[in-house]
Amino acid sequence: MTKVNLLMAYVPMMIEWTEKYRPRTLSDIVGNGKAVAELKKWAEDWGVDKKATILYGPPGIGKTSAAYALANDMGWEVIELNASDQRTAAIIQKIAGSAAQTGTFEGVSGRRLIILDEADNIYGNADRGGVNAIVDVIKKTNQPIVLIANEYYDMSKTLRSLCKPIQFRSIQSRSIIPLLRRICRDEGVDYDIEALEVIVTKASDLRSAINDLQAIAQGRKKLSAEDVVIGIRDTKGSIFKVMTEIFKGSDPREALYASYTLDENPEDFIHWIDENMPREYKGEDLANGFESLSRADVFLGRVRRRQNYGLWKHAGEMMTCGVQAARSQEPHGYTPYQPPSLWKKLGQAKSVRAVRDSIATKIGKHCHVSQRYARAELIPFFKMLFKKKECAIGISATLDLSQNEIAFLLDTKDSGAQKIYDSAQKRIMLAEEHAIETFGGF
Amino acid sequence: MIKEEIWTEKYRPETLGEVVGQDDITERLKSYVKSGNLPHLLFSGPAGVGKTASAIAIAKELFGEAWINNFTELNASDERGIDVVRNQIKNFARTAPLGAASFKIIFLDEADALTPDAQNALRRTMERFSATCRFILSCNYSSKIIEPIQSRCSVYRFRPISDGAIEKRIKYIASEEKLKVTEDGLDAIKYVARGDMRRAINALQAAAVLGKKIDAEVIYKIATMARPEEINELIEFALGGDFMGARDKLDVLLIEQGLSGEDVINQIHRAIMDFGGISEKTRVQLLDKIGEIDFRLTEGANERIQLEALIAHFMLAGSKE
């Protein structure tokens, strides 16, 4: 503790709190006790087990902090490389390779910790050889190496086999609160405990919680829950949080601003609202909600036709504020939101659609109509004709339908289609033989 | 030859004289055949009134046996973009006409499905090949065809076929197929056909699946069945307040059966016209909403969302019934 406070005296005013309050020692790390213990043991016994370790897990939960704190605790110098900054094999070889092999000026006891951040991000053409270089460095190193990654299985098998994996998990909201309290105290900000609770429930991880706190609390003497609700909107939210804001919130601006934080564009986002609105709204609310969504879709259509993306904002407003304003009843508790079923259905129906389209093409050609007309008007008619076996055989022969196509028109998967197909093919053969006999003389 | 089993094709007219119910037009078309030459033609009018039939009959009368080599049929709504149409036209027009013919005929159906830009490209294509090819364009609305194309064509407006002409043709087919159509059965066919000969013949053939005797009851039963059953189920779910059930049916129609949003709304429109169990006041209200959503389909980006809005409105109307 004292260590942290001493350091603070030299820190300029505008420094990010995530840096300012970055733990200096492993014992300051919030959560992930088991992972921290494993990491400590790996360092203390270094040389016995694997020479490198991979710290993996979701962003913003202290992986990099743990690596730095470790170096601090062990008295090691740090060389940090960011895989996504300098990703060529040459640079990794040059820096990590030399550091790994030469030791330090301070003598054998003083080691250097090589931290390679975003290690799951060294693929693609630009990184040709990048992974091989790291593998090479790890094999030859005489210094400890920490790789940091979000996705363990995004890394190559060889790379994984050379490293000791240590998993970092998301930190429970509850365990973040004590840290926020401490920061508030140190910054001289008075706070309602509810305000901190709102921050931790809305933030997706530890880092973003600290960032949110700084964004809202800086320049204030007191922090109320209300300040937080209004101030929180600039943080990046998940699509589920945004939907909660739209369907259960009561401030249309909140709903709109929440949607700004998404990576989804309105073309995709509208399908999320569309999918889940019927789970939230009933009766008149649902009708009014869809009225707004229908208007939003008209704006999307105009954007598409005129390539005028400035109009997107109107679509965005209708699908957030509009949908929220449609609600007249109290929102009910928890709603399990679903991703858009449309996309899944489109994938599943692929083969049925292919059969249907090939029938429509055959009918269209034969009956001099468009495929669209065949699909909408004639396929239902043909399905009716197929209720009579003799008729089904005759038409299957006329159009030379496949067994799948016959099954589609029969609405069946049983052997009926097979029999009709065989009879139709026989008929086609007979007709061909007859034609050869008739015109055989030519 | 394989026996023709589809009656609209089996009884398709061979000559202009056999084209039913458009006597004014067919008389004038016959004079082209007599002269052996043809201007570019534009046929406009609703479905099933003899546009394609007339085009094919002209080709058969002009070219005789060689008609199949000198006539090609393209559907503008099937081909993806004007480039495909142009390439097909180019390939067809490149070779000389067969037999005694001095030109070939390109029949472009649903030409109003082309955008104005695509129609301009089509106009240039027409000019390029006008020495060896005649174009017959067909469309539902001539107003959707750009002026420069209209002015290069002789325009013929086909009207819905009169009840008398439909009755005559249906009676003829019924006697050929050895069916007994009752008086009220004939009236029912004329009612469901609404001037569309293809629909009349299809109704007759579908009814024949159920038996040799065809009366009004059978025809109306067929007419409901000819609609995808999901349409009726969709409407029942929607009016009954089951949004998710209705949406599932909508997805079957749009995704599995591949109907366009316009197809679905047309089917719903027809079904609501005949739907029992709602007051006339509600029916009018639903029709009004159908009209609004029909318009938004042309303006919007996602047909499914627009049709869901319609379903949600139906639910509301159903709950107030």
Side-chain angles (χ1 to χ4, degrees), chain B residues 47-66:
Chain B
V49 296
K51 301 187 297 296
T52 305
S54 297
I56 294 176
I58 288 173
K60 284 183 175 171
E61 289 196 38
L62 271 172
F63 306 137
E65 287 281 298

Side-chain angles (χ1 to χ4, degrees), chain B residues 266-286:
Chain B
N266 286 341
Q267 299 264 17
I268 292 177
H269 181 253
R270 261 190 253 163
I272 285 297
M273 278 297 203
D274 305 338
F275 199 80
I278 46 171
S279 69
E280 290 310 311
K281 201 176 155 200
T282 303
R283 192 188 318 277
V284 170
Q285 213 221 329
L286 296 181

Side-chain angles (χ1 to χ4, degrees), chain A residues 274 294 305 345 356 368, chain B residues 73 251 256 299 306 308:
Chain A
D274 168 62
S294 159
R305 262 180 283 282
K345 282 179 177 171
R356 174 206 76 204
H368 309 280
Chain B
E73 180 182 350
D251 285 345
E256 283 182 28
E299 286 274 294
Q306 296 300 345
E308 281 175 276

